[in-house]
Amino acid sequence: DQKRKQRGSIGVFNQTLFNQVKREQYLCEHLRYAIDNDELCVHYQPIIDVKTNTLSSVEALLRWTCEGENISPCVFIPLAEKSGMMPEIGAWVLNRALIDLSHWSGASEVCISVNVSIAQLLNDEFIHILDSALATTQVPPERLTLEITESVFANDEELVSERLQALVTRGVKISIDDFGTGFSSLFRLQNMPFNFIKIDRSFVQNGSEESDTIIRATLLMAKEFGCKTIAEGIETNEQREHLAKLGTDYLQGFYFAKPLELAELKSWYNDKN
Ligand code: C2E
Ligand code: MG
Ligand code: MG
Ligand code: MG
C-alpha cells in the first residue's frame, strides 16, 4: 500500500511536469509563427516627469495573443530567450515601437523606452538592427532609451560594456530596469554608462521603512552617478506623493495609465493636453 502511494505521488508529479513541458512546447511552436500571424502587438505605458507633470516617455511592452488567449510576457519572453527566438522578436518590437513613435505627430518631445533582453543585447546582429531601425524611422537616437534588467550586468562583462558603449556612441540612452532585484555588484554598475535607474515596483509598493531606506539609498547613488530615477508600479496617489517627495525624477504605474494600445495612448495624451 505504501509503495502504491509513493508510486501514485510520483505519477502526479510526472503528470504536472509533463503538462508544463507540453505547455511550453505548445507556446514555443506557436510563438515561432506569432510574428507572421500578426499575433504580437506593442502597448505603451506613460512615464511622467514629476517636475512638470507631463508625459516624458512611453515604455513599449510586448503583448501576445495566442489563439485568442493573452499570454504574459513574463511567460513567453523567457521561452523566447531559451529557444533562441528573442533576437528576432526583439528586433520586431524595436522596429514597431520606432515606427509608431515616428508616425505620432504632435508629440515630438515624447521619448520611447524599449526593453532589451540579454540574448538580444549579446546577439551579434543587435547593433546593426538598431542602426537600421533608427535609420528607416528617422527617430533621433536621443529619443530612444533601452531598458536593460539589472541581472544582465551579471553576464559577460566585456561584451556587455562593449555593447553599451556602442549605444552611448550613438546617443541612445540606457536604463537599468528592476533595480535592486538583480544581484549585480555596485562595483560593476559604477563603470556602466547608464542614464536612468528604474526602482523596482516591489520597493515602491512595499511601503515599509526598509524599502524606503533602499529607495533613498538608490536615489542618492543615482545622483552621484549623474543619472535620473524612475519609480515603477505607482498605483495610488499616496505612492505618487511619497515617491515624488523622496525625490524621484519620473513616475510610472497604473495610477497614471496602464499600458495602452497606440490609439488609446494618443487619445489619453490628447485628453491630457
Ligand atoms: P518591466 O520592463 O519591468 O515592465 C513593467 C511591468 O510592470 C509591465 O508588465 C507593466 O504592465 C507592469 N506595470 C506597470 N505599472 C504597474 C503598476 O502600477 N502595477 C503593477 N502591478 N504592474 C505594473 P508586463 O507588460 O506584463 O511585462 C512584464 C515584463 O516582461 C517587463 O517588465 C519586461 O521585463 C518583460 N517585457 C515586456 N515586453 C518586453 C519586450 O518587448 N522585450 C523584452 N525583452 N522584455 C519585455
Ligand atoms: Mg522595462
Ligand atoms: Mg521594470
Ligand atoms: Mg519590473
Side-chain angles (χ1 to χ4, degrees), residues 62 73 76-82 84-91 93-94 114-123 126 146-153 155 160 163-164 167 175 177:
L62 187 56
F76 71 81
I77 299 275
L79 287 181
E81 289 266 299
K82 264 199 284 185
M85 290 185 271
M86 205 50 221
E88 193 191 344
I89 291 174
V93 174
L94 186 63
V114 177
N115 293 284
V116 170
S117 74
I118 180 69
Q120 232 184 311
L121 186 71
L122 298 186
N123 186 270
F126 177 67
L146 297 179
E147 295 194 4
I148 298 167
T149 52
E150 193 208 311
S151 52
V152 162
F153 297 91
N155 285 275
V160 169
R163 288 294 141 86
L164 298 188
L167 300 178
S175 181
D177 208 347

Side-chain angles (χ1 to χ4, degrees), residues 252-270:
Q252 176 183 6
F254 297 164
Y255 173 81
F256 300 99
K258 63 180 189 6
L260 304 166
E261 280 175 36
L262 183 63
E264 290 177 315
L265 173 71
K266 289 178 177 174
S267 57
W268 177 89
Y269 182 75
N270 291 338

Side-chain angles (χ1 to χ4, degrees), residues 177-178 200-201 232:
D177 208 347
D178 306 328
D200 193 69
R201 74 162 181 263
E232 309 182 307

Side-chain angles (χ1 to χ4, degrees), residues 2 19 38 49 54 74 76 95 113 139 152 156 171 174 178 202 204 211 219 234 238 247 254 258:
Q2 186 58 33
N19 287 342
D38 275 337
D49 186 329
T54 55
C74 299
F76 71 81
N95 276 288
S113 296
V139 170
V152 162
D156 188 334
I174 302 161
D178 306 328
S202 54
V204 171
S211 285
L219 295 175
I234 303 288
E238 195 186 343
F254 297 164
K258 63 180 189 6

Side-chain angles (χ1 to χ4, degrees), residues 160-175:
V160 169
S161 63
E162 184 191 305
R163 288 294 141 86
L164 298 188
Q165 206 50 57
L167 300 178
V168 171
T169 307
R170 283 157 178 78
V172 171
K173 297 189 174 123
I174 302 161
S175 181

Side-chain angles (χ1 to χ4, degrees), residues 2 5 13 24-25 31 38 45 48 50-51 57 77 85 91 99 101 111 121 147 150 181-182 188 225 233 237-238 271:
Q2 186 58 33
K5 232 189 236 156
F13 173 70
E24 288 196 1
Q25 257 173 16
L31 190 54
D38 275 337
Q45 189 178 32
I48 307 295
V50 172
K51 282 212 185 74
S57 182
I77 299 275
M85 290 185 271
I99 291 167
L101 187 70
C111 297
L121 186 71
E147 295 194 4
E150 193 208 311
T181 64
R188 285 191 56 175
F225 285 174
N237 188 39
E238 195 186 343
D271 287 351

